[in-house]
Amino acid sequence: MTFQEQIQQGIPAVLPQPKPYEPQINHAPKRKEILTEEEKKLALRNALRYFEPQHHATLIPEFKAELETYGRIYMYRFRPEYRMYARPISEYPGKSEQAKAIMLMIQNNLDYAVAQHPHELITYGGNGAVFQNWAQYLLTMKYLAEMTEEQTLVMYSGHPMGLFPSHPEAPRVVVTNGMVIPNYSKPDDWEKMNALGVSQYGQMTAGSYMYIGPQGIVHGTTITVLNGFRKIKKSPKGGLFVTSGLGGMSGAQPKAGNIAGCVTVCAEVNPKITHIRHSQGWINEIIENIDQLVPRVKKALENQEVVSIAYLGNVVDIWERFDQENLHIDLGSDQTSLHNPWAGGYYPIGYTFEESNDLMAANPEKFKEEVQKTLRRHAAAINKHTAKGTYFFDYGNAFLLEASRAGADVMNDHPTLGREFKYPSYVQDIMGPMCFDYGFGPFRWVCASGNPDDLAKTDQIACAVLEEMMQNAPEEIQQQMADNIQWIKGAQENKLVVGSQARILYADAEGRIKIAEAFNQAIARGEIGYVILGRDHHDVSGTDSPYRETSNIYDGSRFTADMAIHNVIGDSFRGATWVSIHNGGGVGWGEVINGGFGMVLDGSKAASRRLESMLFWDVNNGIARRSWARNEGAVFAIKRAMATQPLLKVTIPNVVNESLL
């Protein structure tokens, strides 16, 4: 069968042969056993809903074995034979170009070069899934191949509920992930519901089909590192940045350090992902011995090298040993998946990677105890460095939150609302006041042709738009504009593409609209193929996350999620091609609500109308909320937006004289 025929087939009528387990692939860790015997039967009933009754006798023992061996039913037998990657849009079957674009993005999320655990349909973060099982993937792709512009596909935590009558102006796909009742958002609730096959953790851009590999966060990390050095009034050259994690999102850190121009040391316990990042060029060197790491770092600092070094081991070793050696760390952070601490997101010191995985599945209580013990040591070592002048920030991965729950010394001696911890979130000190409040966030695009020449042309278009805008930009956003122009000019040179021909660029609403319109005009002239717009959910208005995206909100509304819900509803009727809303993201299940979108540009006047309407709302919804929280940058930005759009009328806060209070 051809690729197109396999897509159109969906779930095959004749069972394919079982697939062998491939140990060379980076697999998800075994999930802990959490279902009762009765619930295990329910999980099997749920899984078998996808298959004709004549296949049940064959599949029951197989699915039962998967559930017992891995803690989940992945349906490995149904993994497609074809290679998984983002093909040019013309290669997908279908009646709707918008639907074909979504198929392209789904396959990009599952590309072996992009996905963290591709056979388990997990894109990044240890549990950020596109689908729960392979039947869902097959059925979704079949629906997209059949879809017309008069239908909308409804996605229910990875499950394609079906095609519903709709209209051309509606989203082609509506995605929800993990949207459970609030009182059932504890980690074990997710474990149980996911094992039953009724809910999933979509992370942020994994479950919304908008992940573009580590590039998606390289830019944000580069901005964070650059501004971290600016905060301590030191040049990155000859400076040291220490962190950990080389998985999906965290793999961006060493690349960002290189672009910023410092020495980066990043710890990782998983040998497989470490070597993958090295082969992709995202890290320069791998060192496995702490005794070799110390002199290498000293030499790099002495020579003011721009180099990224992966330490294959536990990051606590680095913090403790560098303290003993009095080796000064300028910037410090952590980007392990601590939103998922008990299922592979963070590993205890004193155990090998394999021993940790065995302990995680066989004795989860002991594993949790060892993780929390490690967190206490981790925080204690960081405290010694910060006492000597290190600037440490939480990278939005729930490090401080989980460390505090473990009893680590991370709480502020004199806490204020929003500043409960010793150390700031990077959003509180950098991304929030410098970017999000002014409307700058991670705007993305993917060239649907798959042609690198198209990507180069879009880079040139975006750069020209920004340079023209900067001539008249107010002083308040000159630095943001300059950083982004520098970034886009170096994008090709830095070889950021992994998977699809994609780019990320921080821009405000004006920039996003002007860049998108310039793309649409270029498509209309036949200069480039279709372009798929999107963004990271980690943005101005898509995400309500009290310890990350909205951590610089100090009016008491950090724990509300109205903004994210408004965002996705508003995008839906303003022209988005698909929309998504998730419970859980980079800081954990039950800790955040986040939403995203995708939009296909086809060169039409309708696309121009949609992009202007939707992108304006997508950004300014968040600025309005940040303004109401009395964030000065956001007040400035929303007043500027009102001056350009007479239909925009936003309530501006009045500020109370503190002496009266």
Side-chain angles (χ1 to χ4, degrees):
M1 295 174 73
T2 65
F3 167 71
Q4 293 201 354
E5 287 170 341
Q6 289 181 73
I7 293 290
Q8 291 166 323
Q9 172 187 234
I11 298 172
V14 177
L15 291 182
Q17 289 299 307
K19 301 285 191 305
Y21 187 84
E22 298 180 25
Q24 71 274 22
I25 298 297
N26 194 35
H27 287 284
K30 179 183 177 182
R31 307 303 183 187
K32 67 182 180 182
E33 190 168 324
I34 196 167
L35 301 182
T36 65
E37 290 304 307
E38 191 59 33
E39 286 168 338
K40 288 176 183 176
K41 291 179 184 177
L42 181 57
L44 289 167
R45 286 192 198 96
N46 289 345
L48 292 165
R49 286 183 285 191
Y50 291 100
F51 307 99
E52 296 292 335
Q54 66 265 28
H55 299 314
H56 290 181
T58 303
L59 294 175
I60 281 178
E62 189 174 309
F63 290 172
K64 177 176 179 286
E66 286 187 13
L67 189 59
E68 291 172 348
T69 306
Y70 310 113
R72 297 292 186 272
I73 299 172
Y74 295 116
M75 308 182 187
Y76 289 124
R77 177 195 287 259
F78 295 93
R79 189 164 47 79
E81 296 284 353
Y82 51 75
R83 189 161 76 86
M84 192 69 69
Y85 70 101
R87 292 159 171 78
I89 192 170
S90 58
E91 294 185 21
Y92 291 94
K95 304 168 185 174
S96 163
E97 293 300 302
Q98 293 184 341
K100 291 180 186 180
I102 298 168
M103 285 192 270
L104 181 159
M105 296 302 294
I106 287 172
Q107 291 205 308
N108 187 65
N109 266 24
L110 296 172
D111 184 333
Y112 284 22
V114 174
Q116 184 181 16
H117 305 307
H119 286 193
E120 289 76 38
L121 302 116
I122 290 170
T123 302
Y124 66 89
N127 57 5
V130 188
F131 301 99
Q132 296 181 62
N133 57 59
W134 285 103
Q136 292 179 346
Y137 166 83
L138 295 173
L139 192 53
T140 298
M141 297 295 276
K142 175 179 167 63
Y143 278 140
L144 289 168
E146 295 173 353
M147 173 188 287
T148 72
E149 301 290 309
E150 301 286 340
Q151 291 172 304
T152 292
L153 174 61
V154 177
M155 298 298 300
Y156 195 95
S157 270
H159 168 65
M161 189 66 78
L163 292 168
F164 287 78
S166 185
H167 56 85
E169 293 295 309
R172 297 281 67 79
V173 180
V174 174
V175 180
T176 60
N177 280 299
M179 297 302 291
V180 304
I181 305 302
N183 275 356
Y184 302 91
S185 271
K186 297 184 292 296
D188 275 358
D189 293 327
W190 171 76
E191 292 280 358
K192 180 166 285 194
M193 284 183 265
N194 194 225
L196 287 171
V198 297
S199 192
Q200 76 170 9
Y201 195 94
Q203 260 286 351
M204 301 180 96
T205 51
S208 67
Y209 325 141
M210 192 44 73
Y211 189 61
I212 58 170
Q215 180 191 173
I217 196 173
V218 170
H219 186 29
T221 308
T222 301
I223 290 174
T224 302
V225 173
L226 283 172
N227 285 307
F229 278 106
R230 286 170 184 154
K231 284 187 76 68
I232 62 174
K233 297 178 171 56
K234 180 174 180 177
S235 167
K237 200 165 184 62
L240 176 59
F241 172 42
V242 169
T243 185
S244 56
L246 283 173
M249 300 292 261
S250 54
Q253 296 178 107
K255 187 74 170 178
N258 281 5
I259 295 170
C262 62
V263 176
T264 304
V265 178
C266 188
E268 172 58 60
V269 295
N270 184 339
K272 197 171 288 181
I273 196 65
T274 302
H275 290 289
I276 286 172
R277 291 288 174 247
H278 186 250
S279 68
Q280 291 174 337
W282 294 77
I283 51 177
N284 302 126
E285 302 173 18
I286 299 173
I287 294 178
E288 299 187 28
N289 188 316
I290 194 77
D291 292 329
Q292 294 172 0
L293 180 67
V294 171
R296 177 68 187 97
V297 172
K298 286 181 177 178
K299 180 184 175 185
L301 292 172
E302 186 181 327
N303 296 334
Q304 294 195 329
E305 295 178 48
V306 176
V307 64
S308 55
I309 303 167
Y311 171 63
L312 189 49
N314 199 294
V315 71
V316 178
D317 288 332
I318 298 176
W319 286 102
E320 291 181 343
R321 184 61 178 273
F322 283 20
D323 174 53
Q324 292 165 12
E325 298 282 343
N326 212 23
L327 210 168
H328 180 67
I329 298 171
D330 294 293
L331 300 185
S333 193
D334 181 87
Q335 209 178 115
T336 52
S337 297
L338 266 162
H339 69 275
N340 182 33
W342 324 126
Y346 184 92
Y347 283 78
I349 195 166
Y351 294 81
T352 66
F353 183 60
E354 292 75 17
E355 288 169 346
S356 292
N357 283 331
D358 290 343
L359 184 65
M360 189 192 311
N363 191 345
E365 287 306 312
K366 175 67 172 173
F367 181 79
K368 180 176 180 179
E369 182 183 313
E370 292 297 320
V371 162
Q372 292 193 319
K373 189 187 299 182
T374 302
L375 280 167
R376 291 192 290 272
R377 271 181 68 177
H378 194 163
I382 289 167
N383 291 342
K384 289 181 179 179
H385 283 274
T386 57
K388 293 185 279 190
T390 296
Y391 175 64
F392 182 86
F393 54 89
D394 184 296
Y395 214 117
N397 63 332
F399 172 75
L400 290 175
L401 189 62
E402 286 302 332
S404 70
R405 289 168 177 170
D409 181 15
V410 294
M411 302 311 294
N412 196 338
D413 292 335
H414 304 287
T416 57
L417 190 65
R419 293 280 183 174
E420 294 87 358
F421 297 117
K422 278 181 187 284
Y423 306 113
S425 153
Y426 74 115
V427 173
Q428 285 182 298
D429 273 16
I430 298 171
M431 300 305 290
M434 297 182 72
C435 293
F436 294 167
D437 284 354
Y438 288 101
F440 283 82
F443 180 54
R444 296 177 173 178
W445 65 88
V446 176
C447 296
S449 65
N451 187 344
D453 291 342
D454 277 9
L455 184 60
K457 289 173 186 173
T458 58
D459 284 344
Q460 292 165 6
I461 291 168
C463 188
V465 168
L466 291 179
E467 288 180 327
E468 183 179 343
M469 286 177 60
M470 190 172 174
Q471 293 176 14
N472 299 308
E475 183 181 346
E476 286 85 348
I477 60 172
Q478 285 283 333
Q479 183 69 67
Q480 292 91 323
M481 298 290 288
D483 283 349
N484 281 287
I485 290 168
Q486 178 185 343
W487 163 267
I488 202 71
K489 284 183 174 178
Q492 296 280 331
E493 176 191 337
N494 286 311
K495 298 179 181 176
L496 297 162
V497 169
V498 176
S500 61
Q501 295 297 315
R503 186 67 71 228
I504 184 171
L505 176 75
Y506 269 53
D508 60 4
E510 181 187 8
R512 298 182 206 203
I513 291 168
K514 286 184 174 178
I515 291 169
E517 178 57 22
F519 290 167
N520 203 47
Q521 293 302 321
I523 296 166
R525 292 191 299 268
E527 295 169 7
I528 57 174
Y530 286 9
V531 172
I532 304 163
L533 301 182
R535 58 163 167 74
D536 196 338
H537 296 205
H538 170 61
D539 199 2
V540 179
S541 69
T543 298
D544 281 297
S545 180
Y547 297 106
R548 196 163 80 178
E549 282 78 6
T550 44
S551 60
N552 70 315
I553 299 289
Y554 303 111
D555 69 348
S557 69
R558 276 188 305 160
F559 298 94
T560 65
D562 303 78
M563 179 177 72
I565 301 300
H566 286 163
N567 180 263
V568 75
I569 293 172
D571 285 358
S572 297
F573 64 76
R574 286 179 172 87
T577 306
W578 74 96
V579 291
S580 59
I581 190 78
H582 306 168
N583 169 25
V587 295
W589 175 264
E591 304 282 0
V592 50
I593 301 295
N594 66 89
F597 77 87
M599 173 177 274
V600 179
L601 301 183
D602 59 6
S604 66
K605 290 181 180 179
S608 290
R609 173 174 47 79
R610 290 170 184 161
L611 73 86
E612 183 172 1
S613 174
M614 201 219 72
L615 292 175
F616 186 85
W617 160 260
D618 189 68
V619 176
N620 282 295
N621 161 56
I623 297 176
R625 185 268 177 99
R626 293 168 187 278
S627 166
W628 187 238
R630 295 181 291 271
N631 292 14
E632 288 183 17
V635 173
F636 166 85
I638 204 66
K639 286 180 177 178
R640 184 165 171 252
M642 284 192 284
T644 63
Q645 172 50 273
L647 294 178
L648 179 66
K649 303 287 182 185
V650 173
T651 310
I652 302 296
N654 293 297
V655 178
V656 181
N657 186 317
E658 285 299 311
S659 65
L660 294 175
L661 293 170

